[in-house]
Every structure is written in C-alpha cells, then in structure tokens.
Amino acid sequence: MNLLSWDFRKAIYILAAITLATGVVTAQSSLQASVLSLLCGIVGFVRAIVGVLAVVLFILGGVLYAVGHFLPASGNLRQNIQGWAMGMLFAGVVAVIIFIIAEPLVSMLTGLGAAAGTSGISIPSCNP
C-alpha cells in the first residue's frame, strides 16, 4: 500500500496551487502599491520643483526684459537680452502647464492601464 494515497496527493497539489495563487495576488498588490507610491512621489517632486522654477523664471525673465529696454538700441546686446527674457518667460509658462497637468496625467495613465485589462489598478490620489 502506498504511503500517500492519490486523494491525499490531490489535496496537497490543490493546497500548493492556492498558496501560490495567493502569493501572486499579494505580490501584484504590493507591486501596484509601490508603483503608485513612486508615481505620487514623482508628482510631488514635479509640484515642488517645477512650481518654484516657474516663479523664478517669470521673475528673471521680467527683470531681463526690463533691463533690455534700458540698453541702447544700437548694439546686439539689447536684442540678445530680450530674446533670453522671452525664452525664460516661455519656459515659465511651460513649467506652469507641467505643474498643472502632472497629477491628471498620472491619473490618466493609470486609468489607461485599468482599461487595458490589468485588474486592480485604481486611480491614485496623490494629495497628502
């Protein structure tokens, strides 16, 4: 007589399969939580750095544009400074746009992942 009967072996196989499936689901949920945490960290970084950078660019661009108007029109320095100032102001506008769309962009990307068939992805709320 066999030490382990066929029914007992089936029960062990079923128990092992359930244990493995539970481990996969747990690993998936912990991976999802870490990815969402990483994305929220990126949003927080963008909001902290880009917001301050936008204000600095607006101030420097405005100051350079004003200084450019005080320079004589005969040289190229006036046009160069005004060009740099307009570039800084444009960069400030782009930084404000990035500041505004950072969190909705992350929400949209995770929403697309949920629509593509990956189960369990929820739209994160990155507010503290």
Side-chain angles (χ1 to χ4, degrees), residues 28-29 31-33 35-36 39 106-124:
Q28 181 183 6
S29 65
L31 177 66
Q32 174 186 347
V35 167
L36 291 179
L39 288 175
V106 168
S107 298
M108 182 188 70
L109 290 175
T110 56
L112 289 175
T118 56
S119 61
I121 294 180
S122 61
I123 296 176

Side-chain angles (χ1 to χ4, degrees), residues 2 12 15 18 31 36 42-43 54-55 59 65 70 79 83 85 88 91 97 101 104 110 114-115 117 120-121:
N2 195 352
I12 290 175
L15 183 64
I18 290 172
L31 177 66
L36 291 179
I42 291 171
V43 168
V55 171
I59 291 171
Y65 195 76
F70 287 110
Q79 288 85 14
M88 285 184 178
I97 291 171
I101 68 168
T110 56
I121 294 180

Side-chain angles (χ1 to χ4, degrees), residues 7-22:
D7 293 332
F8 188 67
R9 286 183 191 168
K10 282 198 301 189
I12 290 175
Y13 292 144
I14 290 172
L15 183 64
I18 290 172
T19 304
L20 287 174
T22 305

